[in-house]
Amino acid sequence: MSLSTALSKMEMDGYFKYENLSLLCQAAGVEEPSTKEEAISSMKAFYKDASNIKSAYLSLPPFESDIINAHVQSGCCIDAKAVNALAEKHGVKNVSKMYFVTPIELFFNHLQGSALSLVFFPYGAMPKEIFDVMKKITPPLKAVFSEYEPTSDCVTIEREGRVSDIAFLARYINKTSPPVTANGMVTKQHALKFAAACGYKDLCQSGATSIASARSTSQMIITSSMLILALASKLIAADSGSAYIGPGASKVLSLPNAEMAKHIFEAYEDAASFSELSCIKGLKAKSKRAKFPEARKEARLILSNCPSGRYIKFKEFEEYAYKANRMFARRHIGAVVKNYGYEVGWEAFESKYLTVYLSLLCALGMADTIWCTRASDYSGESEAYIEAFRLTSSGAFVLGIAGGSPMSANEDYEPKNGFVVQPNFEILVEESESRAAHDLYFSRFLDKIVEDDAISAYTLSFEGMARGLDSGISIEEVATYLAKYSSKPLPSNVSRQLQDWSRLSGRIAVRKVLVIEADDEYLLEEIKTMKGVSDLLGKQLGPSCVIAPSDVGKLKKAIEKNGKFCMEEL
């Protein structure tokens, strides 16, 4: 609400204090006018001079100045809970018990007589013109967090430097094309197999000690978070009941670990199709115009006030977030309701939202988390919750917080960007930050002979080159890729073989065509000269044979078994 609108809605003798123009003029020290128009004109002149607002602020008693501070610090989102807490702190008692009132109504209900605070809330709100002045002089909300000491009955998930797990996930998806559920989650059987192969720590949302007891992949906190991030960043995609590698995966997986994490996080932050509410049982947005990316950016801003490198209690962080911007999600997502239809508050909505947000950051190595269990308020079953967390060094780097660095201080490896091509035509891809990208490329057409945590090995063969051609990968492209990324020069026999294959490819093709036939070549020549015909005729077939359409595949295989490349042109 603008200042002009607020003043125009007030009356000379309004029922509530903050709606009364006469009281407002008295509080501001303005000579009381006789008409509403004169009162509005006088107050506009008062507010135009910012020093008047500042002077009024400095004259406030402690209780009122604390209310103003809290209101401005929260972005004008103060609530009745905060007002009553400050009233209790200053020993101010309620004059009359009023229900279903706004926080500002409650604030003035605490005051007696004409209060100077009326100056800041004409018509019960703080217009932008006043807020902009107050924002410059109000002390910022301090983010103070005590040191947290982990307890033995909790589970600690530390994942800094493990963004490569998401790269491993992309390789696994590319290799297996596993089935997915309606929400894009890989089925539990494949999720457990992937988690076991990758060897990271995970836990179940239900509080169970083993993820094997999870009812679905969505209950596996780290695994489901990695899948969400991979889907949001288009590393993988899900369609027609199965998952497959995304179109931009090679480019993303070739990035250094820190840049990969930054890319994935920013892609998640901008993902309009994903809703954190889908990870919270029984909640849904009431509005169809919910803007989830904007809510994430506000959550990021709140989180950026946390220290990095040490654990803090989630409860303290939540209390800070509540004071700093309790509407950070609701402002953009709108009202959120339970399945039963009633609207929920902070505890069931924003608090759970922050848990999902931190879980995703944990999966990406940007935050370490400590999880404990408690009985659910709704079902009575045991559920996992974040007891404490800390931003990692790489997390601070991605969030742009001072002191962050792209690599963990204890991450001890030297990045390697290539592979080795051996004279026996084997390609050895060692563990490095670019391994996922190379595995993704080679697995599209070459036979894999070895895969473990340390190395992947492929065979460069005629059959593999034929599969590459079928996939639209030319032999020239393969030769360029090998020369560009190999850690050592290509063996001469491998280079010669690639040149020979390139020269021999493209000479034989099986093509499906429609033809026009004449029973002798002279009649065909006559047809070609007819008016309107020549523009409709394509290339005259030279050395070609007619084959049955059902024999195309058999013929192609037979030719390739004899060492000749054969293209199938549709």
Side-chain angles (χ1 to χ4, degrees):
M1 183 184 298
S2 69
L3 179 62
S4 294
T5 301
L7 292 173
S8 66
K9 287 179 176 288
M10 298 178 72
E11 299 295 338
M12 289 298 290
D13 296 306
Y15 178 77
F16 294 107
K17 295 175 185 177
Y18 47 82
E19 294 178 355
N20 190 310
L21 263 173
S22 296
L23 288 178
L24 179 62
C25 289
Q26 290 177 27
V30 173
E31 184 177 347
E32 185 174 350
S34 57
T35 66
K36 178 177 177 178
E37 289 71 22
E38 291 177 0
I40 291 175
S41 178
S42 297
M43 289 311 302
K44 282 185 175 179
F46 172 85
Y47 287 120
K48 190 173 182 180
D49 186 349
S51 65
N52 288 332
I53 301 174
K54 183 176 181 181
S55 177
Y57 170 72
L58 294 175
S59 301
L60 288 171
F63 169 57
E64 295 178 43
S65 64
D66 276 1
I67 291 290
I68 300 293
N69 291 343
H71 187 70
V72 174
Q73 290 166 351
S74 67
C76 295
C77 291
I78 194 172
D79 66 345
K81 176 182 174 183
V83 172
N84 279 324
L86 286 171
E88 184 178 349
K89 172 187 173 183
H90 289 277
V92 178
K93 295 184 178 179
N94 221 344
V95 176
S96 62
K97 297 291 183 182
M98 298 176 65
Y99 299 94
F100 306 108
V101 296
T102 67
I104 301 306
E105 288 173 335
L106 182 61
F107 169 42
F108 283 106
N109 191 40
H110 280 297
L111 305 178
Q112 298 183 29
S114 177
L116 185 56
S117 296
L118 287 169
V119 169
F120 302 93
F121 301 103
Y123 203 68
M126 183 178 283
K128 184 177 185 301
E129 294 90 334
I130 300 175
F131 176 77
D132 288 343
V133 174
M134 292 305 303
K135 198 172 181 182
K136 295 176 182 177
I137 59 179
T138 300
L141 179 66
K142 291 184 179 179
V144 180
F145 305 106
S146 56
E147 191 73 31
Y148 173 76
E149 292 295 332
T151 57
S152 58
D153 57 342
C154 294
V155 177
T156 301
I157 304 291
E158 297 181 351
R159 293 184 47 79
E160 186 167 20
R162 295 212 60 156
V163 68
S164 56
D165 287 347
I166 299 181
F168 189 89
L169 173 63
R171 295 206 302 270
Y172 180 85
I173 296 292
N174 187 52
K175 180 181 178 181
T176 61
S177 297
V180 294
T181 58
N183 62 353
M185 287 286 111
V186 170
T187 57
K188 177 185 169 182
Q189 177 186 4
H190 277 274
L192 290 172
K193 187 181 294 185
F194 163 71
C198 204
Y200 55 83
K201 186 185 287 188
D202 202 351
L203 69 159
C204 180
Q205 282 184 349
S206 63
T209 55
S210 170
I211 57 174
S213 61
R215 289 188 290 272
S216 66
T217 303
S218 297
Q219 282 205 316
M220 300 162 63
I221 293 173
I222 300 302
T223 303
S224 64
S225 296
M226 282 199 288
L227 282 163
I228 288 168
L229 292 165
L231 286 164
S233 60
K234 294 183 171 53
L235 271 176
I236 64 173
D239 190 19
S240 302
S242 62
Y244 53 91
I245 203 69
S250 295
K251 183 178 179 181
V252 177
L253 296 176
S254 63
L255 295 171
N257 279 351
E259 293 301 322
M260 188 195 305
K262 191 170 187 291
H263 174 90
I264 293 173
F265 174 75
E266 290 176 350
Y268 149 69
E269 197 173 55
D270 293 333
S273 59
F274 171 66
S275 161
E276 283 79 3
L277 299 179
S278 65
C279 303
I280 307 172
K281 186 177 180 181
L283 293 191
K284 61 181 179 181
K286 199 171 182 180
S287 171
K288 293 182 179 179
R289 297 181 180 179
K291 298 177 180 178
F292 292 98
E294 283 76 4
R296 289 176 205 127
K297 285 163 186 170
E298 293 217 35
R300 175 182 185 173
L301 189 61
I302 296 170
L303 190 67
S304 66
N305 290 288
C306 295
S308 63
R310 70 178 180 90
Y311 279 104
I312 62 174
K313 286 186 177 181
F314 177 79
K315 199 67 179 174
E316 288 186 1
F317 167 67
E318 184 186 12
E319 289 172 359
Y320 167 76
Y322 187 89
K323 292 177 182 177
N325 190 354
R326 70 182 181 89
M327 301 289 285
F328 80 90
R330 204 171 301 252
R331 181 181 289 114
H332 303 289
I333 297 173
V336 169
V337 297
K338 290 287 286 184
N339 288 338
Y340 307 109
Y342 61 86
E343 189 174 336
V344 299
W346 171 277
E347 291 294 330
F349 175 21
E350 283 90 352
S351 177
K352 301 286 187 184
Y353 180 103
L354 290 173
T355 296
V356 174
Y357 187 76
L358 285 170
S359 299
L360 293 166
L361 265 59
C362 180
L364 202 49
M366 293 173 60
D368 296 329
T369 49
I370 297 176
W371 297 77
C372 298
T373 58
R374 65 187 169 202
S376 169
D377 294 335
Y378 299 99
S379 64
E381 296 179 355
S382 175
E383 66 174 6
Y385 68 95
I386 296 179
E387 170 73 10
F389 73 93
R390 70 178 172 193
L391 290 176
T392 63
S393 182
S394 55
F397 164 76
V398 174
L399 293 171
I401 300 173
S405 62
M407 290 292 181
S408 168
N410 60 5
E411 192 170 358
D412 185 22
Y413 72 87
E414 186 176 327
K416 300 173 184 176
N417 294 315
F419 45 80
V420 176
V421 182
Q422 301 195 121
N424 65 353
F425 291 85
E426 287 184 1
I427 303 172
L428 306 181
V429 186
E430 295 181 336
E431 185 57 45
S432 70
E433 59 187 25
S434 61
R435 176 181 174 182
H438 296 317
D439 277 339
L440 192 61
Y441 182 79
F442 291 134
S443 62
R444 291 168 62 189
F445 58 98
L446 296 183
D447 291 319
K448 184 182 291 185
I449 54 177
V450 174
E451 180 180 36
D452 56 34
D453 291 342
I455 198 169
S456 298
Y458 301 85
T459 298
L460 194 63
S461 64
F462 174 86
E463 291 77 15
M465 291 297 98
R467 285 194 294 271
L469 290 170
D470 291 342
S471 302
I473 303 172
S474 69
I475 295 174
E476 292 85 351
E477 178 190 330
V478 175
T480 300
Y481 189 92
L482 294 175
K484 181 177 181 179
Y485 294 111
S486 177
S487 299
K488 298 179 180 179
L490 296 183
S492 56
N493 64 319
V494 174
S495 295
R496 285 195 302 271
Q497 184 62 75
L498 288 168
Q499 291 170 5
D500 289 343
W501 281 338
S502 178
R503 179 173 49 81
L504 295 171
S505 66
R507 298 186 63 192
I508 306 172
V510 177
R511 183 178 299 143
K512 294 181 181 179
V513 296
L514 292 174
V515 299
I516 180 171
E517 291 183 328
D519 59 2
D520 66 66
E521 59 181 298
Y522 300 107
L523 179 57
L524 181 60
E525 289 298 322
E526 181 182 348
I527 292 171
K528 289 166 62 178
T529 62
M530 293 178 181
K531 184 178 181 181
V533 171
S534 60
D535 292 340
L536 303 177
L537 299 179
K539 179 181 177 182
Q540 185 170 340
L541 300 180
S544 60
C545 296
V546 175
I547 60 172
S550 59
D551 292 336
V552 170
K554 295 177 183 177
L555 178 63
K556 183 176 182 300
K557 288 181 180 179
I559 292 171
E560 289 177 347
K561 282 184 178 180
N562 284 275
K564 301 290 185 183
F565 291 110
C566 179
M567 300 288 291
E568 182 178 349
E569 298 181 5
L570 301 179

